Amino acid sequence: NIGRALRKLVNDTNEGETVYIYFAGHGDVVDDFGEKEGFLLAADANANQEYFAGGVLPLEVLNNKVVNNLTKKGAKVILILDACRSGFIFQEGTQKNLGTIQAMFENATKILSCGPNELSYESADIGHGYFTYYLVKGLVGNADSNTDNNLQYRELDDYLYDNVFTTVNKKHKQNQTPVLRTQNDRLVLKEINPNDK
């Protein structure tokens, strides 16, 4: 179903459009055949980490088949992953199977919930992950640190780091370090409507 939806998305997208791809769920990195590979896991993923049996979306496929095809059509892509080990795409040493750091998702903005060896923590109180919670709060205006009603990528990056890292460290005594990468972090991600806060 995920693959079908992504194919439809690629087919239906036109030049000049902005495409958001958001995934909240499980993520994993495995060492298969001597190389590490990153995966997003669907509900039917193999519990024994035998991911080639199905139920997964390889990060390499997400990049090469989805993100690259969207950007070739002239679309702007914002990829948001709230999954354990989502920062794997920036891990040193992954260049062998995923291309260089610059090539991996080079045409997309990446907003990732954690580093390559970190977990993405959830809260029973808020009913989902801390990353998604603070991402939404940031996007509606809480991350607009200079209150000019223009949310820059760097403002969102700082807001996510300050809130997610601090909250997870305080509540779980663990590190969760969000990652935001875009070609120019001084650009405006979106205008803020003060009433949305």
Side-chain angles (χ1 to χ4, degrees):
N1 289 335
I2 294 171
R4 187 179 308 115
L6 289 172
R7 280 190 293 278
K8 183 175 184 339
L9 178 67
V10 170
N11 290 334
D12 293 350
T13 297
N14 298 306
E15 183 177 355
E17 293 183 326
T18 299
V19 176
Y20 288 84
I21 299 174
Y22 170 83
F23 176 87
H26 295 291
D28 201 1
V29 174
V30 296
D31 190 343
D32 265 342
F33 307 108
E35 292 185 355
K36 289 186 176 181
E37 294 190 54
F39 297 93
L40 300 177
L41 311 183
D44 58 342
N46 185 292
N48 296 318
Q49 293 183 314
E50 295 167 354
Y51 297 141
F52 291 105
V56 298
L57 177 61
L59 289 176
E60 192 171 23
V61 169
L62 182 60
N63 179 50
N64 294 334
K65 302 293 184 189
V66 180
V67 174
N68 283 350
N69 283 326
L70 287 167
T71 56
K72 283 178 188 173
K73 292 180 83 171
K76 176 181 174 182
V77 179
I78 298 177
L79 176 70
I80 304 167
L81 302 179
D82 188 352
C84 293
R85 298 175 181 85
S86 57
F88 170 73
I89 61 175
F90 294 114
Q91 182 177 5
E92 189 176 340
T94 60
Q95 295 89 332
K96 290 179 183 176
N97 63 325
L98 296 177
T100 64
I101 290 175
Q102 288 77 21
M104 186 63 175
F105 300 101
E106 69 182 356
N107 299 316
T109 293
K110 291 77 59 186
I111 307 174
L112 312 170
S113 65
C114 61
N117 298 310
E118 295 176 342
L119 300 180
S120 195
Y121 286 86
E122 296 178 356
S123 166
D125 296 337
I126 58 177
H128 50 77
Y130 295 108
F131 171 80
T132 293
Y133 176 74
Y134 286 112
L135 175 68
V136 171
K137 287 185 70 145
L139 289 173
V140 298
N142 290 333
D144 183 23
S145 60
N146 63 4
T147 62
D148 66 352
N149 295 327
N150 288 304
L151 178 63
Q152 292 180 321
Y153 288 98
R154 69 168 44 182
E155 289 177 307
L156 182 61
D157 187 20
D158 290 343
Y159 180 81
L160 288 171
Y161 177 82
D162 291 344
N163 286 282
V164 174
F165 185 88
T166 302
T167 302
V168 169
N169 193 270
K170 181 179 177 183
K171 293 188 180 241
H172 299 279
K173 307 291 187 243
Q174 298 292 325
N175 291 338
Q176 180 178 339
T177 313
V179 177
L180 189 151
R181 294 290 184 270
T182 193
Q183 290 181 335
N184 182 353
D185 67 355
R186 294 175 188 265
L187 292 178
V188 173
L189 170 59
K190 67 180 290 267
E191 290 183 19
I192 297 298
N193 180 343
N195 296 326
D196 288 345
K197 290 185 185 181

